[in-house]
Amino acid sequence: MPIWRPANTIRVKALALIWQDDALLLSDVQDDTGRVTGMRPLGGTIEFGEPWRDALQREFLEELGARLTLLENYFVLENLYEHHGVQGHEIVFLCHAHFADNSFYRRDSMAFEESDETDGLAKWVSLAELEAKGLDLYPGGLREKLSIADVVSRPTAYLS
């Protein structure tokens, strides 16, 4: 398992908030020992000159072979954090989205490969499940942004 540390620069990322009923599509965040400390939505780093919406589409095509329908409902978080004693700083665009292909909603989990060639697994997890397992939701501040009012009015994809 490669040891990851935050870059010594501000990273700009785009992540998708894809709901299925009360569950979000999330992937594990691990510490250096492989212990899962939390989960985060899928997406990735925005490349120089790339609009964040294009970056989000690119990341999903690269990682899952999936196209997204991006909704107008998005927000931005500034995430200042520490990981194993190293300071990290991100600006994160979080956008509500749906899979263009409904077959993705019939999968319990989805394997993908990160840009550093490590394997990842995305799965549907409710906020209640995260809390029951004592896991954080990353980026920091996301759980608070997903207030009860937001969760009740969030866009939901249904199987057809």
Side-chain angles (χ1 to χ4, degrees), residues 13-17 24-29 38-45 59 63 90 112 114 121-123 130 136-139 142:
K13 297 190 173 194
L15 305 178
L17 299 171
L24 266 172
L25 185 64
L26 302 171
S27 66
D28 291 343
V29 175
M39 301 189 85
R40 73 170 185 93
L42 296 182
T45 301
E59 287 287 342
E63 292 181 356
E90 302 173 323
F112 64 93
E114 294 277 7
L121 186 68
K123 51 195 164 212
L130 281 178
D136 289 322
L137 180 61
Y138 300 115
L142 178 54

Side-chain angles (χ1 to χ4, degrees), residues 19 21 98 102 105 156-160:
W19 294 92
D21 299 321
H98 297 297
N102 280 340
Y105 293 102
T156 303
Y158 296 96
L159 296 175
S160 50

Side-chain angles (χ1 to χ4, degrees), residues 4-145:
W4 178 85
R5 294 294 180 263
N8 192 19
T9 60
I10 299 172
R11 305 289 304 262
V12 184
K13 297 190 173 194
L15 305 178
L17 299 171
I18 303 174
W19 294 92
Q20 177 170 243
D21 299 321
D22 68 340
L24 266 172
L25 185 64
L26 302 171
S27 66
D28 291 343
V29 175
Q30 301 175 351
D31 65 12
D32 288 353
T33 66
R35 182 178 66 91
V36 176
T37 60
M39 301 189 85
R40 73 170 185 93
L42 296 182
T45 301
I46 300 170
E47 296 176 0
F48 182 78
E50 182 180 40
W52 70 265
R53 288 179 174 275
D54 292 352
L56 198 48
Q57 292 285 8
R58 175 184 49 77
E59 287 287 342
F60 270 78
L61 278 171
E62 288 174 359
E63 292 181 356
L64 294 177
R67 295 196 181 279
L68 297 179
T69 300
L70 302 179
L71 306 179
E72 294 301 317
N73 188 5
Y74 77 93
F75 54 94
V76 180
L77 287 176
E78 182 175 29
N79 186 27
L80 296 164
Y81 63 97
E82 186 176 301
H83 180 76
H84 290 281
V86 178
Q87 183 70 35
H89 190 174
E90 302 173 323
I91 306 298
V92 186
F93 290 84
L94 293 120
C95 184
H96 289 279
H98 297 297
F99 283 114
D101 177 351
N102 280 340
S103 70
F104 283 93
Y105 293 102
R106 291 188 277 282
R107 300 179 188 181
D108 292 332
S109 62
M110 296 166 227
F112 64 93
E113 187 176 53
E114 294 277 7
S115 59
D116 66 359
E117 298 183 358
T118 58
D119 293 329
L121 186 68
K123 51 195 164 212
W124 302 103
V125 181
S126 72
L127 299 180
E129 287 176 79
L130 281 178
E131 193 167 317
K133 293 178 181 179
L135 296 175
D136 289 322
L137 180 61
Y138 300 115
L142 178 54
R143 187 184 302 264
E144 293 75 20
K145 287 295 265 186

